[in-house]
Amino acid sequence: NAGVTQTPKFQVLKTGQSMTLQCAQDMNHEYMSWYRQDPGMGLRLIHYSVGAGITDQGEVPNGYNVSRSTTEDFPLRLLSAAPSQTSVYFCASSLRHRRPGELFFGEGSRLTVL
Amino acid sequence: AQKVTQAQTEISVVEKEDVTLDCVYETRDTTYYLFWYKQPPSGELVFLIRRNSFDEQNEISGRYSWNFQKSTSSFNFTITASQVVDSAVYFCALSEDPIQGAQKLVFGQGTRLTINP
């Protein structure tokens, strides 16, 4: 099984550019989420989705958009990148009810904004 | 607001030593979940354990054990007879009762554990 797949693994952007981080899972998980990991701050929730067509904001949503048109995919869009968005981004998925909090993570996408 | 504190930023021990990673949490909820995740050098986070707020029984899984104490709001993780493969960043996390399946985990800052041969 592929599990949770994130692309790209590395990306360098200039301030003001836009891009989309892709996330796909093949486990038929209803719940998907995006976190960012910064040194000394652990992981912080950006956006999450409990199913296709349903998304909501997490702790640090500003500057990011998401959509969930299918169960498998949950892309994260940066509309106008800023240096403060330099981070490692993780996508995670899980079964919605059966095992609360048991998240399956992707390998991460390292983003640098110059 | 929920908060998780891992006061130990880095720990370094020699192989076969026992090591305890501390985790202190804050929440006003009566129903909540606590977790530990491992982040090896490869980068992805791996789920280790979940505990709900009504289950204070300690748990042991091989060389790993977890001590949950509501009286001190702590959920500590002990590795017995550590091995080099245990080297990783470990995260403690907390979530409220997942209403409608929204599993919003709040993570601590992480503890980088290095096991030296």
Side-chain angles (χ1 to χ4, degrees):
Chain A
N1 282 342
V4 178
T5 303
Q6 292 183 231
T7 56
K9 288 187 170 46
F10 300 94
Q11 183 72 50
V12 178
L13 290 178
K14 294 181 179 178
T15 297
Q17 287 185 320
S18 63
M19 77 157 298
T20 299
L21 297 176
Q22 301 291 345
C23 176
Q25 53 90 10
D26 62 358
M27 298 173 284
N28 203 30
H29 285 172
E30 305 99 328
Y31 181 81
M32 297 186 74
S33 55
W34 278 101
Y35 285 85
R36 59 177 289 172
Q37 180 178 12
D38 301 292
M41 303 188 72
L43 284 82
R44 291 179 292 167
L45 181 64
I46 305 171
H47 284 285
Y48 65 93
S49 168
V50 298
I54 306 170
T55 64
D56 207 343
Q57 297 180 350
E59 179 186 356
V60 288
N62 292 340
Y64 307 95
N65 278 353
V66 292
S67 60
R68 184 98 180 267
S69 57
T70 67
T71 299
E72 294 78 19
D73 300 300
F74 190 44
L76 179 71
R77 298 182 185 84
L78 285 71
L79 301 179
S80 179
S84 61
Q85 294 178 304
T86 293
S87 188
V88 181
Y89 292 85
F90 286 95
C91 180
S93 71
S94 77
L95 291 168
R96 190 165 151 181
H97 293 295
R98 285 177 54 189
R99 294 182 180 181
E102 186 174 340
L103 302 178
F104 290 79
F105 282 83
E107 294 183 340
S109 297
R110 184 175 294 275
L111 174 66
T112 301
V113 182
L114 303 176
Chain B
Q2 298 184 324
K3 184 178 180 182
V4 176
T5 301
Q6 296 178 254
Q8 304 152 308
T9 305
E10 295 190 26
I11 299 175
S12 180
V13 301
V14 176
E15 198 172 21
K16 298 183 182 177
E17 287 186 10
D18 298 347
V19 58
T20 296
L21 283 60
D22 297 332
C23 173
V24 174
Y25 64 92
E26 297 175 27
T27 181
R28 295 178 181 172
D29 296 327
T30 54
T31 301
Y32 54 89
Y33 291 85
L34 293 164
F35 311 88
W36 277 95
Y37 278 82
K38 176 181 181 179
Q39 185 178 38
S42 55
E44 81 284 5
L45 281 85
V46 177
F47 169 85
L48 293 178
I49 190 172
R50 172 185 55 251
R51 261 289 176 265
N52 71 52
S53 53
F54 299 106
D55 183 2
E56 284 192 77
Q57 274 195 338
N58 292 333
E59 179 151 344
I60 298 175
S61 177
R63 296 183 296 105
Y64 294 174
S65 62
W66 291 269
N67 181 281
F68 175 28
Q69 291 194 337
K70 286 178 75 171
S71 61
T72 55
S73 297
S74 64
F75 186 44
N76 296 337
F77 174 28
T78 297
I79 301 175
T80 303
S82 59
Q83 299 177 2
V84 172
V85 294
D86 295 326
S87 296
V89 180
Y90 291 86
F91 290 95
C92 182
L94 166 69
S95 79
E96 61 192 8
D97 197 11
I99 298 171
Q100 296 184 347
Q103 301 167 50
K104 298 184 284 185
L105 272 64
V106 174
F107 285 82
Q109 303 93 321
T111 297
R112 181 176 299 276
L113 177 64
T114 302
I115 311 298
N116 299 298

